[in-house]
Amino acid sequence: MPNPEFFDDKSDEGWYISRTNDLYVETLNFILYHETSHAEFEHIRKISASNLSSEKQKELELEADTRAIELMISKNRNQNVTELSIIVGLASILFFKNNLSGGQKHPDIDSRLENAIQILKLRDDSSVWSMLCLFIKEWSMRFSLNVNDKGSYKNYKELYYKLMSQVKNCC
Ligand SMILES: [Zn+2]
């Protein structure tokens, strides 16, 4: 693998390394914004003071996601980088296990992705849909989920929901 710290920015390989580093940093920004949003809304105090139910705690997680997405948008960076870094941050959670469940405290991963998709108002031809399909395919291969992408579809958005509906039925 190429060294992401020492490389020739003018080479083809360097171009990709710069983009990858940029996306990595923005994805971390999104995750940090999620955590600082918990602090901003005093979620930890609310959870311990009110002994919140599992469902209520999941709502707080979505609230932190929503705030983090708003903060990312307010930075006014390249729209595509912003969208991609948020989706990469959320879709990466898939690789921790072979199902969509967020457990007792976190919403299911498909709900968190859908929340982001709705806020970002992704265009039908956004390249983010193809990334989402790639994530599901890679995840499916990693855990032998046998997600089937055969058949016809008019765009990657349609394929994403087709793949996701299979995953929801099996995982
Ligand atoms: Zn959280």
Side-chain angles (χ1 to χ4, degrees), residues 34-35 38 43 60-62 64-65 105-106 112:
H34 172 100
E35 300 306 335
H38 279 312
H43 284 166
L60 299 187
E61 290 300 328
L62 278 184
D65 276 352
K105 297 176 179 172
H106 291 81
R112 298 181 72 174

Side-chain angles (χ1 to χ4, degrees), residues 45-153:
R45 185 187 58 73
K46 282 180 187 168
I47 290 168
S48 54
S50 323
N51 197 16
L52 292 185
S53 66
S54 171
E55 281 313 305
K56 286 284 175 202
Q57 289 189 48
K58 290 178 183 183
E59 283 174 22
L60 299 187
E61 290 300 328
L62 278 184
E63 190 176 47
D65 276 352
T66 299
R67 177 68 177 144
I69 293 166
E70 285 168 5
L71 289 167
M72 290 291 287
I73 292 170
S74 71
K75 282 172 41 171
N76 243 341
R77 270 213 60 189
N78 174 305
Q79 175 80 7
N80 200 38
V81 174
T82 299
E83 290 175 350
L84 210 46
S85 52
I86 291 165
I87 293 299
V88 166
L90 291 171
S92 296
I93 305 171
L94 287 169
F95 290 88
F96 286 112
K97 52 185 172 26
N98 67 352
N99 59 68
L100 295 169
S101 170
Q104 291 293 308
K105 297 176 179 172
H106 291 81
D108 292 350
I109 302 165
D110 56 313
S111 307
R112 298 181 72 174
L113 282 168
E114 190 57 35
N115 181 52
I117 288 167
Q118 293 303 322
I119 298 167
L120 293 169
K121 300 184 183 74
L122 290 185
R123 292 189 329 269
D124 285 3
D125 64 347
S126 167
S127 59
V128 173
W129 293 112
S130 58
M131 283 300 292
L132 276 165
C133 293
L134 267 176
F135 263 95
I136 304 272
K137 285 284 291 174
E138 271 296 314
W139 178 57
S140 167
M141 282 195 277
R142 178 81 58 91
F143 291 101
S144 305
L145 302 176
N146 296 319
V147 169
N148 177 11
D149 64 349
K150 302 283 183 292
S152 61
Y153 42 88

Side-chain angles (χ1 to χ4, degrees), residues 7 9 14-25 81:
F7 58 92
D9 201 19
W15 191 91
Y16 284 108
I17 292 172
S18 292
R19 306 281 96 54
T20 308
N21 285 349
D22 185 28
L23 195 58
Y24 178 78
V25 170
V81 174

